[in-house]
Amino acid sequence: MKKEYFVQYSDQSIINSFNFPEDKFVSITVGISDIKHDLIISLVRKMFGLPVFFVLDSMLCRHGKETLIKNKIPFYEHSPDGAIIKVDSVEKLSHVSGLAEELVSNGLSVFIFHGEGLSEQDLIPSRQWNKPIEFNNVDINKVDTFVDVYEVGFTIFSKSNLLNSPEKIPHYIPNHYLLDINSSDI
């Protein structure tokens, strides 16, 4: 049986949870109750291509770090348990997507950035309990698309005409997920 998902323009509270200029980015939320490994790989391959950057705010104690080291994947450690990984090969994408799936299934967020001229040091997140998540060092003009992946779906913030409406997003979702049209802005 196919897992259902919905696609909607993001609620203002989601938009406000990040410090990104609203006038430059369209924000679309996709709700999926069961994120499988192939979803993240499919999204990256179909939406962006490589390279992309994965920002892991937390890696579940040392498990995530050990996974990256074991698979010889270089990463930039931005906090005691956070990492930024430039994914520029299909092999890296497979390993990092698997780790990302594990993290989101445990209630953590994973951020994916696509754009020209980005570097690991640009993407260090700043999180305070009473403020939106900020990426203070990133030149917003270099970011084409930013995706926040979490336990029950993901939110796309994009300047791309390919991703600027809910009608366009189902083309990027694997076929074994079923669009819930009644709950979507389509």
Side-chain angles (χ1 to χ4, degrees):
M1 187 167 131
K2 292 185 176 188
K3 295 284 184 178
E4 287 191 345
Y5 71 96
F6 66 85
V7 181
Q8 300 174 342
Y9 284 106
S10 297
D11 185 83
Q12 192 63 40
S13 64
I14 292 172
I15 295 168
N16 292 342
S17 66
F18 292 94
N19 190 19
F20 277 109
E22 289 179 45
D23 59 333
K24 291 187 180 188
F25 289 88
V26 172
S27 178
I28 298 171
T29 298
V30 178
I32 297 178
S33 62
D34 192 18
I35 293 182
K36 296 288 185 200
H37 181 64
D38 66 325
L39 177 67
I40 295 173
I41 288 174
S42 180
L43 291 176
V44 171
R45 283 184 170 172
K46 289 179 178 180
M47 285 183 172
F48 318 121
L50 300 174
V52 296
F53 290 87
F54 279 73
V55 178
L56 312 177
D57 209 20
S58 178
M59 292 193 287
L60 289 178
C61 300
R62 297 193 45 81
H63 170 73
K65 188 174 182 177
E66 290 167 0
T67 299
L68 295 172
I69 291 169
K70 180 180 102 181
N71 292 297
K72 298 180 176 128
I73 298 172
F75 59 94
Y76 177 82
E77 209 165 351
H78 67 81
S79 67
D81 66 340
I84 301 169
I85 307 152
K86 181 178 183 179
V87 176
D88 54 6
S89 73
V90 173
E91 183 180 347
K92 279 185 195 175
L93 178 60
S94 178
H95 292 298
V96 175
S97 294
L99 177 57
E101 174 197 318
E102 187 177 334
L103 294 173
V104 298
S105 69
N106 282 290
L108 301 170
S109 287
V110 171
F111 309 105
I112 305 170
F113 282 88
H114 181 259
E116 293 291 322
L118 296 172
S119 72
E120 289 91 340
Q121 293 80 8
D122 295 338
L123 303 174
I124 298 170
S126 168
R127 187 183 296 251
Q128 297 176 20
W129 72 271
N130 61 346
K131 293 185 178 180
I133 297 169
E134 295 179 327
F135 292 89
N136 294 324
N137 299 327
V138 70
D139 178 351
I140 207 66
N141 295 315
K142 293 181 179 181
V143 176
D144 180 58
T145 303
F146 160 68
V147 181
D148 176 15
V149 186
Y150 39 88
E151 192 171 14
V152 292
F154 56 94
T155 300
I156 303 165
F157 297 85
S158 185
K159 294 188 276 188
S160 171
N161 288 334
L162 299 173
L163 305 169
N164 65 356
S165 74
E167 293 87 6
K168 296 177 181 179
I169 302 304
H171 303 291
Y172 302 103
I173 308 292
N175 291 334
H176 57 271
Y177 290 97
L178 179 64
L179 176 64
D180 178 356
I181 293 182
N182 294 327
S183 298
S184 298
D185 291 341
I186 294 180

